[in-house]
Amino acid sequence: MEKEFNSELLIFSTQKIINQYYINIDAEILSPDNYRDVIKHLVAATSSDMFIFMINSGGGDVSTAMEISSAILNTDAYCKAIVFNAFSAASIIALSCDSILVEDCGAFFIHAPSWEMRGKPQSTEAQSQYYSKSTKRWFTKIYQGFLTEEEIDKAISGIDLWIDKDEADKRLKKWVPISQRISNKGKKK
């Protein structure tokens, strides 16, 4: 006995809805309270969400950039940076994303952070040691693969690094996003 083949039974479709959020980082990066909504959305996002960071900033508060970076690295959403200017703290946000597109006029500026220290000489010495150790740790985490180890050391020691679109594109071809380098990352595994 032959079975009839009914192609209608083999056809099915699914629909996946992706929510896209556009985040403009186009001014000085201020204190974290100015970015609470962005951080809340990143934390609550699912794999059906996509965040596109439009970055054209001269930088700003490094602790804010690190908090946004942490939210990007811990979200289930896909995050993309479109870079016009990712200077200073803005480069931290860009390089925390899963992919980066550098516009024709785009550039990165990377340098050692400036920290404010107050207190007795012993206290400021301890703060300085802490900031040196902390900067080395997160500079390596953020910039690894985009900068060489030698360039990371130069930036930490106070040398400014300017990277134009052509150079950035070359580096990004070999770059592995942090989300793929961190083993405890909760997304895209």
Side-chain angles (χ1 to χ4, degrees):
M1 177 183 234
E2 287 186 24
K3 293 185 180 179
E4 277 189 43
F5 180 77
N6 186 343
S7 65
E8 291 177 329
L9 297 177
L10 298 176
I11 298 172
F12 66 93
S13 66
T14 61
Q15 183 178 12
K16 185 173 183 178
I17 297 173
I18 296 176
N19 301 308
Q20 287 188 339
Y21 301 92
Y22 290 85
I23 311 297
N24 290 305
I25 306 289
D26 57 1
E28 179 181 356
I29 298 169
L30 303 172
S31 62
D33 60 309
N34 291 283
Y35 302 89
R36 283 185 187 140
D37 286 340
V38 171
I39 292 165
K40 283 180 192 175
H41 276 80
L42 283 163
V43 169
T46 69
S47 60
S48 295
D49 296 318
M50 179 180 195
F51 287 80
I52 300 170
F53 289 84
M54 306 291 288
I55 300 177
N56 192 7
S57 172
D61 190 323
V62 72
S63 64
T64 301
M66 292 304 293
E67 187 170 348
I68 294 170
S69 169
S70 178
I72 290 169
L73 295 174
N74 288 295
T75 187
D76 287 331
Y78 184 82
C79 296
K80 177 179 183 172
I82 298 176
V83 171
F84 295 90
N85 288 313
F87 294 171
S88 192
S91 71
I92 294 167
I93 297 168
L95 288 162
S96 297
C97 290
D98 300 301
S99 66
I100 301 171
L101 170 70
V102 181
E103 290 292 335
D104 285 339
C105 61
F108 287 82
F109 169 54
I110 300 166
H111 66 98
S114 299
W115 302 103
E116 186 176 318
M117 293 186 280
R118 295 181 182 184
K120 307 178 297 275
Q122 299 82 354
S123 296
T124 57
E125 184 178 341
Q127 284 178 5
S128 178
Q129 290 171 357
Y130 163 77
Y131 286 136
S132 293
K133 182 178 178 183
S134 175
T135 299
K136 176 71 174 170
R137 182 179 62 251
W138 64 262
F139 251 61
T140 300
K141 178 180 176 181
I142 298 292
Y143 296 112
Q144 182 182 32
F146 186 73
L147 298 178
T148 66
E149 286 184 40
E150 183 181 336
E151 288 170 325
I152 291 170
D153 290 340
K154 284 181 179 180
I156 290 170
S157 71
I159 295 173
D160 296 342
L161 303 174
W162 289 92
I163 300 170
D164 67 11
K165 184 220 180 352
D166 295 334
E167 182 62 26
D169 284 345
K170 284 181 203 170
R171 292 167 184 253
L172 289 170
K173 284 180 184 172
K174 296 183 267 182
W175 174 71
V176 177
I178 299 172
S179 62
Q180 294 176 21
R181 286 187 273 130
I182 297 176
S183 62
N184 64 348
K185 178 86 169 103
K187 67 176 184 179
K188 294 177 266 327
K189 290 289 180 197

mmCIF file of all heavy atoms in Angstrom, residues 117-142:
data_model
loop_
_atom_site.group_PDB
_atom_site.id
_atom_site.type_symbol
_atom_site.label_atom_id
_atom_site.label_comp_id
_atom_site.label_asym_id
_atom_site.label_seq_id
_atom_site.Cartn_x
_atom_site.Cartn_y
_atom_site.Cartn_z
ATOM 1 N N MET A 117 41.607 62.070 43.528
ATOM 2 C CA MET A 117 41.989 61.493 44.813
ATOM 3 C C MET A 117 42.066 62.588 45.856
ATOM 4 O O MET A 117 42.545 63.693 45.565
ATOM 5 C CB MET A 117 43.343 60.782 44.707
ATOM 6 C CG MET A 117 43.306 59.556 43.831
ATOM 7 S SD MET A 117 44.837 58.622 43.851
ATOM 8 C CE MET A 117 45.832 59.572 42.720
ATOM 9 N N ARG A 118 41.608 62.276 47.058
ATOM 10 C CA ARG A 118 41.654 63.219 48.170
ATOM 11 C C ARG A 118 42.073 62.471 49.425
ATOM 12 O O ARG A 118 41.812 61.293 49.564
ATOM 13 C CB ARG A 118 40.275 63.838 48.408
ATOM 14 C CG ARG A 118 39.793 64.680 47.274
ATOM 15 C CD ARG A 118 38.458 65.262 47.598
ATOM 16 N NE ARG A 118 37.996 66.037 46.447
ATOM 17 C CZ ARG A 118 36.914 66.722 46.442
ATOM 18 N NH1 ARG A 118 36.129 66.745 47.495
ATOM 19 N NH2 ARG A 118 36.570 67.400 45.371
ATOM 20 N N GLY A 119 42.665 63.189 50.329
ATOM 21 C CA GLY A 119 42.994 62.580 51.614
ATOM 22 C C GLY A 119 44.443 62.756 51.991
ATOM 23 O O GLY A 119 45.197 63.482 51.351
ATOM 24 N N LYS A 120 44.799 62.059 53.050
ATOM 25 C CA LYS A 120 46.165 62.083 53.565
ATOM 26 C C LYS A 120 47.104 61.439 52.548
ATOM 27 O O LYS A 120 46.673 60.642 51.719
ATOM 28 C CB LYS A 120 46.242 61.311 54.888
ATOM 29 C CG LYS A 120 45.249 61.741 55.941
ATOM 30 C CD LYS A 120 45.349 60.891 57.198
ATOM 31 C CE LYS A 120 45.042 59.458 57.003
ATOM 32 N NZ LYS A 120 43.702 58.971 57.039
ATOM 33 N N PRO A 121 48.383 61.750 52.593
ATOM 34 C CA PRO A 121 49.327 61.142 51.650
ATOM 35 C C PRO A 121 49.263 59.620 51.625
ATOM 36 O O PRO A 121 49.299 59.016 50.557
ATOM 37 C CB PRO A 121 50.697 61.627 52.150
ATOM 38 C CG PRO A 121 50.412 62.919 52.832
ATOM 39 C CD PRO A 121 49.043 62.741 53.459
ATOM 40 N N GLN A 122 49.119 58.991 52.802
ATOM 41 C CA GLN A 122 49.035 57.534 52.846
ATOM 42 C C GLN A 122 47.776 57.038 52.131
ATOM 43 O O GLN A 122 47.801 56.012 51.443
ATOM 44 C CB GLN A 122 49.027 57.026 54.301
ATOM 45 C CG GLN A 122 50.252 57.376 55.102
ATOM 46 C CD GLN A 122 50.190 58.805 55.672
ATOM 47 O OE1 GLN A 122 49.294 59.591 55.398
ATOM 48 N NE2 GLN A 122 51.201 59.140 56.462
ATOM 49 N N SER A 123 46.680 57.759 52.291
ATOM 50 C CA SER A 123 45.418 57.376 51.651
ATOM 51 C C SER A 123 45.502 57.536 50.132
ATOM 52 O O SER A 123 45.033 56.660 49.391
ATOM 53 C CB SER A 123 44.261 58.230 52.176
ATOM 54 O OG SER A 123 44.062 57.996 53.552
ATOM 55 N N THR A 124 46.065 58.640 49.682
ATOM 56 C CA THR A 124 46.154 58.843 48.233
ATOM 57 C C THR A 124 47.126 57.854 47.597
ATOM 58 O O THR A 124 46.921 57.438 46.459
ATOM 59 C CB THR A 124 46.550 60.295 47.879
ATOM 60 O OG1 THR A 124 47.783 60.623 48.499
ATOM 61 C CG2 THR A 124 45.473 61.278 48.300
ATOM 62 N N GLU A 125 48.163 57.450 48.345
ATOM 63 C CA GLU A 125 49.082 56.437 47.821
ATOM 64 C C GLU A 125 48.353 55.106 47.657
ATOM 65 O O GLU A 125 48.496 54.424 46.634
ATOM 66 C CB GLU A 125 50.280 56.270 48.761
ATOM 67 C CG GLU A 125 51.309 55.298 48.232
ATOM 68 C CD GLU A 125 52.528 55.172 49.151
ATOM 69 O OE1 GLU A 125 52.762 56.068 49.986
ATOM 70 O OE2 GLU A 125 53.231 54.155 49.015
ATOM 71 N N ALA A 126 47.541 54.732 48.648
ATOM 72 C CA ALA A 126 46.766 53.487 48.563
ATOM 73 C C ALA A 126 45.750 53.564 47.420
ATOM 74 O O ALA A 126 45.563 52.594 46.682
ATOM 75 C CB ALA A 126 46.065 53.207 49.890
ATOM 76 N N GLN A 127 45.109 54.733 47.265
ATOM 77 C CA GLN A 127 44.157 54.917 46.162
ATOM 78 C C GLN A 127 44.861 54.765 44.819
ATOM 79 O O GLN A 127 44.348 54.124 43.906
ATOM 80 C CB GLN A 127 43.505 56.304 46.232
ATOM 81 C CG GLN A 127 42.455 56.454 47.277
ATOM 82 C CD GLN A 127 41.908 57.885 47.307
ATOM 83 O OE1 GLN A 127 42.261 58.725 46.484
ATOM 84 N NE2 GLN A 127 41.045 58.163 48.269
ATOM 85 N N SER A 128 46.018 55.368 44.713
ATOM 86 C CA SER A 128 46.783 55.305 43.470
ATOM 87 C C SER A 128 47.135 53.865 43.117
ATOM 88 O O SER A 128 47.027 53.447 41.956
ATOM 89 C CB SER A 128 48.048 56.156 43.595
ATOM 90 O OG SER A 128 48.815 56.069 42.427
ATOM 91 N N GLN A 129 47.561 53.100 44.124
ATOM 92 C CA GLN A 129 47.890 51.684 43.886
ATOM 93 C C GLN A 129 46.649 50.909 43.454
ATOM 94 O O GLN A 129 46.705 50.075 42.545
ATOM 95 C CB GLN A 129 48.519 51.065 45.128
ATOM 96 C CG GLN A 129 49.912 51.583 45.413
ATOM 97 C CD GLN A 129 50.442 51.124 46.765
ATOM 98 O OE1 GLN A 129 49.754 50.459 47.535
ATOM 99 N NE2 GLN A 129 51.684 51.500 47.055
ATOM 100 N N TYR A 130 45.522 51.191 44.110
ATOM 101 C CA TYR A 130 44.270 50.532 43.743
ATOM 102 C C TYR A 130 43.899 50.864 42.301
ATOM 103 O O TYR A 130 43.581 49.976 41.512
ATOM 104 C CB TYR A 130 43.129 50.953 44.686
ATOM 105 C CG TYR A 130 41.785 50.629 44.102
ATOM 106 C CD1 TYR A 130 41.292 49.324 44.118
ATOM 107 C CD2 TYR A 130 41.012 51.618 43.494
ATOM 108 C CE1 TYR A 130 40.070 49.013 43.548
ATOM 109 C CE2 TYR A 130 39.790 51.308 42.922
ATOM 110 C CZ TYR A 130 39.323 50.008 42.958
ATOM 111 O OH TYR A 130 38.117 49.713 42.382
ATOM 112 N N TYR A 131 43.917 52.154 41.944
ATOM 113 C CA TYR A 131 43.533 52.563 40.589
ATOM 114 C C TYR A 131 44.468 51.973 39.535
ATOM 115 O O TYR A 131 44.029 51.577 38.459
ATOM 116 C CB TYR A 131 43.486 54.091 40.469
ATOM 117 C CG TYR A 131 42.289 54.711 41.152
ATOM 118 C CD1 TYR A 131 42.426 55.847 41.933
ATOM 119 C CD2 TYR A 131 41.009 54.171 41.004
ATOM 120 C CE1 TYR A 131 41.325 56.427 42.561
ATOM 121 C CE2 TYR A 131 39.914 54.740 41.629
ATOM 122 C CZ TYR A 131 40.079 55.868 42.396
ATOM 123 O OH TYR A 131 38.996 56.438 43.010
ATOM 124 N N SER A 132 45.756 51.887 39.835
ATOM 125 C CA SER A 132 46.706 51.292 38.889
ATOM 126 C C SER A 132 46.373 49.831 38.638
ATOM 127 O O SER A 132 46.325 49.372 37.489
ATOM 128 C CB SER A 132 48.136 51.413 39.410
ATOM 129 O OG SER A 132 48.536 52.761 39.431
ATOM 130 N N LYS A 133 46.128 49.074 39.699
ATOM 131 C CA LYS A 133 45.806 47.656 39.576
ATOM 132 C C LYS A 133 44.464 47.462 38.865
ATOM 133 O O LYS A 133 44.333 46.634 37.962
ATOM 134 C CB LYS A 133 45.779 47.014 40.965
ATOM 135 C CG LYS A 133 45.507 45.526 40.954
ATOM 136 C CD LYS A 133 45.538 44.966 42.375
ATOM 137 C CE LYS A 133 45.210 43.487 42.369
ATOM 138 N NZ LYS A 133 45.157 42.956 43.735
ATOM 139 N N SER A 134 43.478 48.239 39.274
ATOM 140 C CA SER A 134 42.139 48.143 38.701
ATOM 141 C C SER A 134 42.147 48.506 37.213
ATOM 142 O O SER A 134 41.538 47.820 36.387
ATOM 143 C CB SER A 134 41.185 49.076 39.465
ATOM 144 O OG SER A 134 39.924 49.088 38.875
ATOM 145 N N THR A 135 42.867 49.574 36.863
ATOM 146 C CA THR A 135 42.941 50.013 35.467
ATOM 147 C C THR A 135 43.571 48.932 34.602
ATOM 148 O O THR A 135 43.076 48.633 33.515
ATOM 149 C CB THR A 135 43.734 51.329 35.352
ATOM 150 O OG1 THR A 135 43.056 52.337 36.108
ATOM 151 C CG2 THR A 135 43.860 51.788 33.912
ATOM 152 N N LYS A 136 44.637 48.317 35.061
ATOM 153 C CA LYS A 136 45.296 47.249 34.307
ATOM 154 C C LYS A 136 44.322 46.090 34.056
ATOM 155 O O LYS A 136 44.237 45.564 32.946
ATOM 156 C CB LYS A 136 46.538 46.758 35.069
ATOM 157 C CG LYS A 136 47.239 45.579 34.428
ATOM 158 C CD LYS A 136 47.955 45.929 33.151
ATOM 159 C CE LYS A 136 48.760 44.744 32.650
ATOM 160 N NZ LYS A 136 49.284 44.947 31.327
ATOM 161 N N ARG A 137 43.573 45.724 35.096
ATOM 162 C CA ARG A 137 42.644 44.599 34.979
ATOM 163 C C ARG A 137 41.552 44.887 33.942
ATOM 164 O O ARG A 137 41.324 44.109 33.031
ATOM 165 C CB ARG A 137 42.011 44.268 36.331
ATOM 166 C CG ARG A 137 41.074 43.064 36.271
ATOM 167 C CD ARG A 137 40.455 42.688 37.611
ATOM 168 N NE ARG A 137 39.624 43.748 38.144
ATOM 169 C CZ ARG A 137 39.934 44.503 39.211
ATOM 170 N NH1 ARG A 137 41.044 44.293 39.858
ATOM 171 N NH2 ARG A 137 39.132 45.447 39.627
ATOM 172 N N TRP A 138 40.868 46.035 34.049
ATOM 173 C CA TRP A 138 39.763 46.257 33.123
ATOM 174 C C TRP A 138 40.222 46.745 31.757
ATOM 175 O O TRP A 138 39.536 46.507 30.760
ATOM 176 C CB TRP A 138 38.638 47.095 33.723
ATOM 177 C CG TRP A 138 38.933 48.497 34.114
ATOM 178 C CD1 TRP A 138 39.225 48.953 35.360
ATOM 179 C CD2 TRP A 138 38.937 49.637 33.265
ATOM 180 N NE1 TRP A 138 39.432 50.301 35.335
ATOM 181 C CE2 TRP A 138 39.252 50.753 34.057
ATOM 182 C CE3 TRP A 138 38.713 49.842 31.911
ATOM 183 C CZ2 TRP A 138 39.335 52.037 33.553
ATOM 184 C CZ3 TRP A 138 38.799 51.123 31.400
ATOM 185 C CH2 TRP A 138 39.114 52.207 32.215
ATOM 186 N N PHE A 139 41.368 47.396 31.659
ATOM 187 C CA PHE A 139 41.905 47.742 30.330
ATOM 188 C C PHE A 139 42.174 46.460 29.546
ATOM 189 O O PHE A 139 41.873 46.369 28.361
ATOM 190 C CB PHE A 139 43.212 48.545 30.466
ATOM 191 C CG PHE A 139 43.088 49.994 30.096
ATOM 192 C CD1 PHE A 139 42.236 50.828 30.787
ATOM 193 C CD2 PHE A 139 43.829 50.518 29.062
ATOM 194 C CE1 PHE A 139 42.130 52.171 30.452
ATOM 195 C CE2 PHE A 139 43.729 51.853 28.714
ATOM 196 C CZ PHE A 139 42.881 52.691 29.411
ATOM 197 N N THR A 140 42.754 45.469 30.207
ATOM 198 C CA THR A 140 43.033 44.195 29.543
ATOM 199 C C THR A 140 41.731 43.530 29.112
ATOM 200 O O THR A 140 41.615 43.044 27.989
ATOM 201 C CB THR A 140 43.846 43.280 30.475
ATOM 202 O OG1 THR A 140 45.078 43.947 30.798
ATOM 203 C CG2 THR A 140 44.147 41.950 29.824
ATOM 204 N N LYS A 141 40.740 43.528 29.996
ATOM 205 C CA LYS A 141 39.450 42.910 29.680
ATOM 206 C C LYS A 141 38.777 43.592 28.486
ATOM 207 O O LYS A 141 38.332 42.934 27.550
ATOM 208 C CB LYS A 141 38.530 42.983 30.902
ATOM 209 C CG LYS A 141 37.146 42.411 30.677
ATOM 210 C CD LYS A 141 36.315 42.530 31.945
ATOM 211 C CE LYS A 141 34.903 42.064 31.750
ATOM 212 N NZ LYS A 141 34.106 42.211 32.969
ATOM 213 N N ILE A 142 38.706 44.907 28.501
ATOM 214 C CA ILE A 142 37.982 45.656 27.468
ATOM 215 C C ILE A 142 38.748 45.697 26.150
ATOM 216 O O ILE A 142 38.186 45.455 25.081
ATOM 217 C CB ILE A 142 37.696 47.110 27.924
ATOM 218 C CG1 ILE A 142 36.805 47.135 29.171
ATOM 219 C CG2 ILE A 142 37.101 47.940 26.790
ATOM 220 C CD1 ILE A 142 35.394 46.664 28.974
#
